[in-house]
Structure formats: C-alpha cells, structure tokens
Amino acid sequence: MGRRPCCDKLGVKKGPWTAEEDEKLVGFMMSENSGHCSWRMVPKLAGLRRCGKSCRLRWTNYLRPDLKRGLLSELEEQLVIDLHSRLGNRWSQIAAKLPGRTDNEIKNHWNTNIKKKLIKMGIDPITHQPLIKQESIKTTNSTEVEAPAEAQTSSSENTCQVENCSNSENNSSDLLASSIWEVGLQFEDASYGKWASPWDDSCDWLTDYQELGTVDFGKDSL
DNA sequence: AACCTCTGCAACCGCACATAA
DNA sequence: TTTATGTGCGGTTGCAGAGGT
C-alpha cells in the first residue's frame, strides 16, 4: 500500500519563501495556537498555501528565533569535524551538540567547506584517516582498488564510525587532534573554555556537551 | 558586456521510524 | 497485529550570486 503524500500537491506552493509567507508562519508559530496542532494543520491555520512539511522545514531551518545566523565559528567547525568522526553523517545528532545550528546548515557547511579543508589537510573527510595512509592500504589490497573512499556508502561508513566511537582510543580522533593542533587553532569562544580540548581521549566532554545541547528548539519549546 | 563555470545555500524528496487507532 | 498518520532525517537538486574568461 502506497504512502499518502504529506499534502495534496494541487494548489500547494513550492519554491522559495516570500517575506509575506515568512511573516505569516512566524506570526502563527509565535501565537498560542501553534502548540496545539500538527504540522499538517499549520499551513491552513496560518493561511499559507504550503504543505506542512515545507512549513516545518522553513521554521526549523530558517525562522526559529533561537537560530544563530552566519558562518560557523572556528570552534564550531572543529566540533563538527570531531563529531562527524564519531557519528558519521548523523547531522541531526551533530546539530544537537551545537545550539542554534540546524542539521541542514551543518550538512551544507560540511559539504561546501569542511570537506575541502580536510582534503587539503590530507585527511579523508569520510574515514578521517590520512589520505596517504589510505593510498598505501589501497595499493596493498588489490580487491578494493576499484572502490574509492568517496564512493563508499554512508551506511557502511556509519557503522564503521560508530564502532570507532565506542573505542575511546580512537586513532582517527587522535590524528585529527594532532593535525588541528599543528595548524595552531585556538578556541576563541570563552563559553567553551571548560573543555581543555574536545579531542580529549575520553568521551566525557561529549557527555557534558550533550547536557547543553539537548534543548528542544522545536515548536513545542515555545 | 556577455557568457560560462563554480560555489553556497535553501528547499524538496523519499524513506524510516514512532505512535495512535 | 495491522494500518494510517505525523514527524524526523539524510541525500539531492535547483537557483542565485560571484568570479573568471
């Protein structure tokens, strides 16, 4: 049995949101009514010709009042890298550790900036292993020569990374840490000063950070 | 000035999961 | 237990602006 679409496609607007639509959605979301209805009802009640899914996306990724706008700070970027080495492409989980940032924003930043930076630094953005090391592995293992690291499926890579995460003596994390320290990065944001280094061998800092990041920024929290 | 290519970001799509009936 | 529905997530696409020729 096929799944019903989230909205009847006829008469539903798609594409970029206008300022007027934003205003309507924000107005509705900030009203008391928003807490009592499903996303499907939001466009109807807010007077929008959009599907509920589109409204949710617009709200969570762009209109939420608690969102930080602008580029990720150096520290945020390093956190993303470290979290990615542990969690893989679990953008929502990564975003949960960065208050005010969305999974979409982090995903975009990863694909457009961080990936390139890591490659430039000689680190594979998928495995977080040095590229040179990987090359030598490839040449010694002829059966895998056909499968470049970039082409690996996310599911297998995630499994690998989650397993790595369980190992507190994670090599990739250590390698990342050393390479980051080598380029002389500094923590600029004093609010993160409680952690001497997020790449500490133990994962304790992550647990602490989770406490900070578990705030639900969805409409329920309004 | 016109065209082309590249880049970054917002938004969409389809699937998975959770839960209520 | 099954089915319907709502929501969340990750991958992908499309477009606008910047930069280069």
Side-chain angles (χ1 to χ4, degrees):
Chain A
M1 183 183 285
R3 186 178 158 73
R4 249 181 59 178
C6 70
C7 54
D8 48 339
K9 303 281 180 184
L10 288 171
V12 174
K13 193 179 170 225
K14 284 167 68 174
W17 281 64
T18 64
E20 191 188 349
E21 287 176 313
D22 282 348
E23 206 175 308
K24 280 183 180 176
L25 183 57
V26 170
F28 176 76
M29 294 306 293
M30 301 302 269
S31 74
E32 288 183 11
N33 302 329
S34 63
H36 310 297
C37 67
S38 65
W39 279 110
R40 181 178 278 228
M41 295 300 292
V42 167
K44 285 178 187 170
L45 296 172
L48 292 161
R49 288 175 60 196
R50 295 273 180 175
C51 76
K53 204 171 179 175
S54 180
C55 291
R56 179 176 60 82
L57 217 62
R58 183 64 178 171
W59 174 255
T60 54
N61 286 338
Y62 202 82
L63 298 174
R64 257 168 38 190
D66 57 296
L67 285 180
K68 282 185 201 170
R69 304 304 303 170
L71 291 171
L72 272 73
S73 68
E74 194 92 4
L75 179 85
E76 285 176 315
E77 203 170 287
Q78 296 310 325
L79 263 171
V80 170
I81 294 167
D82 186 60
L83 289 165
H84 185 272
S85 74
R86 297 160 193 267
L87 300 168
N89 292 359
R90 289 170 179 150
W91 305 114
S92 60
Q93 287 182 37
I94 294 171
K97 310 290 182 294
L98 291 149
R101 300 293 185 183
T102 69
D103 54 352
N104 205 35
E105 189 179 11
I106 291 169
K107 180 171 61 182
N108 281 334
H109 190 70
W110 176 270
N111 286 326
T112 56
N113 293 302
I114 301 178
K115 238 178 172 178
K116 290 171 196 167
K117 275 190 190 176
L118 288 179
I119 290 168
K120 219 174 178 180
M121 289 165 68
I123 297 170
D124 188 305
I126 296 173
T127 62
H128 294 261
Q129 298 287 333
L131 286 165
I132 300 163
K133 190 178 167 184
Q134 293 205 331
E135 281 302 315
S136 64
I137 291 167
K138 274 185 209 169
T139 50
T140 54
N141 190 351
S142 58
T143 57
E144 297 202 354
V145 171
E146 297 294 329
E150 280 282 339
Q152 301 284 333
T153 62
S154 61
S155 59
S156 61
E157 100 205 9
N158 283 349
T159 310
C160 169
Q161 279 154 355
V162 169
E163 282 167 4
N164 283 347
C165 180
S166 63
N167 180 0
S168 61
E169 300 297 322
N170 186 346
N171 282 340
S172 64
S173 183
D174 292 345
L175 286 163
L176 175 66
S178 57
S179 53
I180 288 164
W181 289 118
E182 271 172 26
V183 296
L185 293 174
Q186 294 178 350
F187 295 101
E188 292 168 2
D189 189 337
S191 66
Y192 297 109
K194 61 184 281 194
W195 300 287
S197 162
W199 306 280
D200 197 295
D201 280 344
S202 86
C203 288
D204 291 348
W205 69 273
L206 239 184
T207 323
D208 289 347
Y209 210 164
Q210 271 173 329
E211 299 294 323
L212 253 182
T214 48
V215 181
D216 181 8
F217 293 105
K219 65 192 179 90
D220 290 344
S221 67
L222 292 170

